[in-house]
Amino acid sequence: AQSVTQLGSHVSVSEGALVLLRCNYSSSVPPYLFWYVQYPNQGLQLLLKYTSAATLVKGINGFEAEFKKSETSFHLTKPSAHMSDAAEYFCAVNIPGNQFYFGTGTSLTVIP
Amino acid sequence: DSGVTQTPKHLITATGQRVTLRCSPRSGDLSVYWYQQSLDQGLQFLIQYYNGEERAKGNILERFSAQQFPDLHSELNLSSLELGDSALYFCASSADVASGNTIYFGEGSWLTVV
């Protein structure tokens, strides 16, 4: 079975601080993994995705994520938070047939 | 702009009624997905179509149905509406059903059932 667990439904960081959003997956097949961001009153936008090439994936807006098979993790990081990063972040695992299983989301608050 | 268009953006209707949500996928995309997002249930996969055929079903209620037309647009029909159906309904599309394909989301249709 495939599933995604996002630890921490709410994360608060100070502006300029490191952002770390956690995602662990379960998959019976080699996974493709995605991070999406949802700004208020908008749809989900792709931040980055892992498709079995480099394990460190760089995305938009300075975000990156590292695929760690041994830990079944795909945590999202950004060295320095900006106020505009405040949003909901979703991790997703993609399985054959291009079906997506999304985590429950992590709401990021950036404190000035 | 993802290129996925959903209408209407907002809809208020009464319990027991029926509504239709419409989605135009990105140009060239053959696969369409419907998701429901609510505060208590998160983002729930409802159904997936590929080139007019149903491909996968998720947590879609029997009161809900969908189809994808020859021009690839899709409609989600919600009937006998209940208060609990109030949610944000997203349509997404992808080029095909090969694994690893990005899905692109529309801005959603807000449904309020009163």
Side-chain angles (χ1 to χ4, degrees), chain B residues 11-70:
Chain B
L11 190 58
I12 301 175
T13 190
T15 54
Q17 295 299 304
R18 172 191 170 95
V19 299
T20 297
L21 308 180
R22 194 179 191 279
C23 170
S24 293
R26 291 190 326 149
S27 178
D29 282 0
L30 298 178
S31 191
V32 168
Y33 310 73
W34 286 97
Y35 286 85
Q36 179 194 58
Q37 185 178 37
S38 58
L39 283 175
D40 56 343
Q41 299 256 346
L43 194 61
Q44 297 285 316
F45 167 65
L46 296 179
I47 197 163
Q48 176 194 14
Y49 281 84
Y50 175 68
N51 206 18
E53 300 290 324
E54 183 182 303
R55 181 81 179 185
K57 237 176 186 177
N59 302 320
I60 189 166
L61 300 172
E62 285 191 10
R63 300 183 285 109
F64 297 178
S65 64
Q67 54 183 326
Q68 186 181 26
F69 295 87

